[in-house]
Amino acid sequence: MKKILTLFAVVGLFAFTGCEGPEGPQGPPGYDAPVSEVIEREVDFTSNNGYLVTVPLTPAIYKNDVVLVYHLYAIQSGNDVWRLMPQTYYMTDGGALDFNFDYTLNRVNIFLGADFPLNTLSPDWTQDQIFRIVIVPADIFETGKSINKADYSDYNAVIKKYKLDDSNVKRIKL
């Protein structure tokens, strides 16, 4: 009796695996996967641009994406020293200079502010300033999952944590 049941089971298995039916309905359309990216810009702040520079984001980012902006503060022993913005620098005469930013889905504004006239700044603070804009997609932060987010103040930790490729970042002067 066991042999007959085993035979029926094997025959039934072959019968069901060979079945084909009509193709099912097409699923809902997908969406473009969000992209992490690093954008580098070299800018000059002048009275003509109001000490504000706009960097367009193309394509636009998603509503919940995270935008981080870093200022290249120095190069030490051949290594870039990036500082997360907003960043306040205290001048030797006691004044305070702020590098700051804001953003929308389509652009990032990088601007200077100070408690003294900006036109008194030396070109070291206004010319050939380099910034990296890091876009981290919101999908990385899935709801309900516990995440260990990167230390945003550490540019290299952010790049490593979110597996971003910054090896071929091209500097574009605005």
Side-chain angles (χ1 to χ4, degrees), residues 29-106:
Y31 68 96
D32 292 334
V35 176
S36 301
E37 69 178 308
V38 179
I39 303 164
E40 184 170 301
R41 296 292 189 254
E42 181 179 339
V43 303
D44 292 335
F45 295 106
T46 67
S47 58
N48 290 339
N49 64 19
Y51 300 94
L52 176 143
V53 176
T54 299
V55 179
L57 297 176
T58 52
I61 63 173
Y62 292 99
K63 183 171 91 172
N64 293 326
D65 289 350
V66 175
V67 174
L68 305 169
V69 180
Y70 296 87
H71 178 226
L72 180 61
Y73 177 69
I75 299 174
Q76 293 178 346
S77 303
N79 297 312
D80 293 343
V81 177
W82 295 101
R83 290 195 172 172
L84 179 64
M85 292 175 38
Q87 189 65 235
T88 300
Y89 298 101
Y90 296 97
M91 313 311 268
T92 55
D93 65 0
L97 171 65
D98 294 320
F99 281 78
N100 208 339
F101 76 101
D102 63 26
Y103 70 93
T104 68
L105 302 179
N106 300 306

Side-chain angles (χ1 to χ4, degrees), residues 125-168:
W125 291 103
T126 60
Q127 304 301 297
D128 305 319
Q129 298 299 302
I130 300 168
F131 299 92
R132 284 204 174 161
I133 300 167
V134 178
I135 299 168
V136 181
D139 280 8
I140 288 177
F141 308 105
E142 291 181 38
T143 311
K145 281 190 171 180
S146 79
I147 12 176
N148 297 323
K149 71 176 189 172
D151 173 6
Y152 289 157
S153 66
D154 183 346
Y155 171 80
N156 294 314
V158 170
I159 295 303
K160 182 178 178 183
K161 172 73 177 178
Y162 300 120
K163 298 177 177 93
L164 300 173
D165 180 11
D166 72 339
S167 61
N168 293 319

